[in-house]
Amino acid sequence: MSEEEDLAVLIYKSSKTAKARAAAAAAAAAMEKERNAPPEARQTTSTRKRSSANVSGSSTSAKASKRTSPSKRDRRLLFTEDDKGGKVAPKNVARKKYSYKCSADGCTNNAVKGGVCIRHGAKVKYKKCISEGCTNKVVEGGVCKRHG
């Protein structure tokens, strides 16, 4: 009788581990499916309101359908084909932007003119409004906020 009980316990434990493995495999498959799903199908955690097109179940918005070039957020490279049929990366590459620091000792501000910041002597001339007698700075089109 003890052999039968041992065998029953062994069968019970193996069925439990098989169920646990199946559940783990199903969870992993669901995670992989979610990871490979298109961005429209994924559930977002954004706090912004969804557009009416996305709420109603439509996967593409009117703006997305009008776009011919990819958005700036699209990280994939756009390859073009060369004469031999191979793929070539685009030639227009974004330049690295660098801002110089002020040359004064202990100053961490960005240099504006002549290697120094405004605090340490960089003279920045602002354009004045073209209206007669006005000394305000230009906002747009040669005129200040009052005259524009």
Side-chain angles (χ1 to χ4, degrees), residues 59-79:
S59 62
T60 57
S61 65
K63 283 185 180 180
S65 63
K66 288 181 183 179
R67 270 192 303 220
T68 57
S69 63
S71 68
K72 291 181 182 179
R73 295 180 61 106
D74 196 3
R75 302 274 190 243
R76 289 174 275 149
L77 290 176
L78 297 177
F79 290 103

Side-chain angles (χ1 to χ4, degrees), residues 14-25:
S14 66
S15 68
K16 280 288 216 182
T17 55
K19 286 180 183 177
R21 283 185 193 151

Side-chain angles (χ1 to χ4, degrees), residues 3-132:
E3 282 185 33
E4 289 177 8
E5 289 177 1
D6 291 339
L7 186 59
V9 168
L10 184 63
I11 292 171
Y12 176 75
K13 286 182 180 179
S14 66
S15 68
K16 280 288 216 182
T17 55
K19 286 180 183 177
R21 283 185 193 151
M31 290 293 287
E32 187 66 28
K33 185 177 180 183
E34 183 179 324
R35 188 178 304 145
N36 292 336
E40 296 87 23
R42 290 187 201 143
Q43 185 174 358
T44 60
T45 58
S46 175
T47 56
R48 291 194 285 173
K49 289 184 178 181
R50 293 183 188 177
S51 67
S52 60
N54 287 342
V55 171
S56 65
S58 175
S59 62
T60 57
S61 65
K63 283 185 180 180
S65 63
K66 288 181 183 179
R67 270 192 303 220
T68 57
S69 63
S71 68
K72 291 181 182 179
R73 295 180 61 106
D74 196 3
R75 302 274 190 243
R76 289 174 275 149
L77 290 176
L78 297 177
F79 290 103
T80 57
E81 291 188 18
D82 61 357
D83 297 336
K84 299 173 186 175
K87 292 185 178 180
V88 180
K91 292 184 179 180
N92 53 345
V93 179
R95 294 185 315 170
K96 179 181 176 186
K97 295 180 182 178
Y98 185 78
S99 58
Y100 293 94
K101 298 296 177 190
C102 180
S103 60
D105 292 334
C107 184
T108 59
N109 294 335
N110 290 334
V112 176
K113 190 175 182 182
V116 291
C117 64
I118 293 173
R119 182 182 291 171
H120 291 108
K123 300 289 182 185
V124 179
K125 290 188 178 181
Y126 296 106
K127 292 183 180 181
K128 302 289 181 183
C129 180
I130 58 173
S131 295
E132 210 170 307

